[in-house]
Amino acid sequence: MASSTPHVWEDDIYNAFKKAGVSQVPYVPDAGHAHLIRRIHADPDMHPIVLTTEEEGVASSCGAWLGGKKSVLLMQSSGVGNCVNMLSLVTNCNFPFLTIVSMRGEFGEFNSWQVPMARATQTSFEMMGAEVMRCNSPDEVGPTVDAALYATFASEQKIAILLSQRLIGRKEW
């Protein structure tokens, strides 16, 4: 009897990174990105960078571009507020910028402290001039990340992809 491997949407992100030539991935550790982070650490051609705060990842991504590398910042929605001022660097210097954000504070959130930033995440990025894309189902992830990577690095766009809590899964306490 043949067994089938279930589709893992996080692998679609990893495969899109490889196809686009992303080699540097700064991140703040987060359960929503755990599978992808493990894949990046296991790949000798990719350089994961553990951050202490999300705004460091904005600067790291800009520095990667100056050094001829492509970078994507991974973070959780609770860290987006830390990045608002640093996103002015992306806008003023016209750096290509892509971040993938795992959402908390929506779809049955048990932790009320996650809710205010979840409600402000999309607006925060739009205020700073970034386009926001959202994935709510596994079949949206691969095409959305692929399109965002192309737009980011082919035409120096600023894009945030929000991975909804419905996609990631509701956390239980």
Side-chain angles (χ1 to χ4, degrees):
M1 180 172 179
S3 66
S4 64
T5 304
H7 177 245
V8 179
W9 57 264
E10 294 94 332
D11 289 337
D12 295 339
I13 298 173
Y14 174 80
N15 293 334
F17 283 5
K18 295 297 284 185
K19 177 183 168 193
V22 172
S23 61
Q24 185 172 305
V25 182
Y27 68 92
V28 174
D30 169 46
H33 290 300
H35 179 85
L36 178 59
I37 290 168
R38 282 192 296 275
R39 294 282 319 260
I40 292 163
H41 275 273
D43 186 334
D45 295 327
M46 298 189 90
H47 184 72
I49 300 170
V50 182
L51 307 169
T52 56
T53 183
E54 292 79 3
E55 65 264 35
E56 294 172 351
V58 176
S60 176
S61 291
C62 294
W65 184 251
L66 289 173
K69 304 289 183 190
K70 294 178 182 175
S71 175
V72 177
L73 171 61
L74 305 178
M75 66 176 139
Q76 186 186 76
S77 56
S78 59
V80 172
N82 297 337
C83 296
V84 172
N85 189 41
M86 189 57 84
L87 287 169
S88 62
L89 173 70
V90 172
T91 299
N92 284 336
C93 297
N94 199 32
F95 285 111
F97 178 75
L98 177 61
T99 184
I100 300 179
V101 179
S102 61
M103 293 299 295
R104 289 286 310 267
E106 55 184 26
F107 190 63
E109 176 64 56
F110 74 89
N111 182 347
S112 64
W113 290 92
Q114 295 284 349
V115 175
M117 195 60 232
R119 292 179 179 157
T121 294
Q122 181 165 342
T123 303
S124 296
F125 281 120
E126 290 171 343
M127 247 178 8
M128 297 311 292
E131 177 183 353
V132 176
M133 301 176 173
R134 176 177 270 272
C135 297
N136 292 313
S137 66
D139 59 324
E140 295 175 310
V141 174
T144 300
V145 173
D146 182 63
L149 282 163
Y150 186 74
T152 298
F153 296 112
S155 62
E156 299 179 344
Q157 298 297 305
K158 295 88 180 97
I159 299 174
I161 298 174
L162 309 183
L163 304 176
S164 76
Q165 197 162 355
R166 181 179 299 267
L167 169 70
I168 295 167
R170 187 176 78 188
K171 296 193 184 295
E172 301 283 339
W173 183 254

